Amino acid sequence: MPRTIRGTVVTQRRRCGKANCRCVNEGLLHESVVLSYSEQGRTRVVMLPPEEVEAVRAATERYRAAKKRLELEANRGLEQLVLRLRRP
């Protein structure tokens, strides 16, 4: 399993469209856990097997934490540069 994965683990609920299915007759939607991510401006999804869900979820959380740390570091760097350049 990769250490970090860009995306979000979500549960999709949908109707399958089969005329005799429980999702049509009883209103019980089908659920599947997927990894949702963006690629070239389009949302993509990958179905996750049950045994992979927690590991993928943890990898996406590590990605978000790393991204947040990088953003904070970059903002501090920007502040330092702006202050230094504004000094006479």
Side-chain angles (χ1 to χ4, degrees):
M1 180 63 56
R3 174 132 176 85
T4 59
I5 298 174
R6 182 178 54 83
T8 304
V9 175
V10 294
T11 301
Q12 274 188 340
R13 292 173 184 86
R14 61 181 178 79
R15 287 182 173 76
C16 69
K18 296 178 184 176
N20 293 328
C21 183
R22 66 184 170 94
C23 66
V24 173
N25 298 326
E26 300 170 23
L28 300 173
L29 302 179
H30 298 281
E31 289 189 355
S32 53
V33 180
V34 299
L35 172 68
S36 174
Y37 63 98
S38 177
E39 181 177 73
Q40 298 177 348
R42 297 191 62 150
T43 300
R44 309 283 187 193
V45 294
V46 176
M47 291 185 67
L48 298 174
E51 63 273 8
E52 299 279 349
V53 171
E54 288 309 313
V56 172
R57 184 175 281 130
T60 61
E61 289 172 1
R62 285 190 295 272
Y63 170 79
R64 281 191 293 282
K67 184 177 175 183
K68 185 176 181 179
R69 285 191 305 271
L70 180 61
E71 188 74 23
L72 290 171
E73 181 182 333
N75 286 337
R76 282 193 299 268
L78 177 60
E79 288 174 16
Q80 291 171 0
L81 176 64
V82 169
L83 287 173
R84 186 172 58 86
L85 294 176
R86 286 185 180 164
R87 290 188 187 138

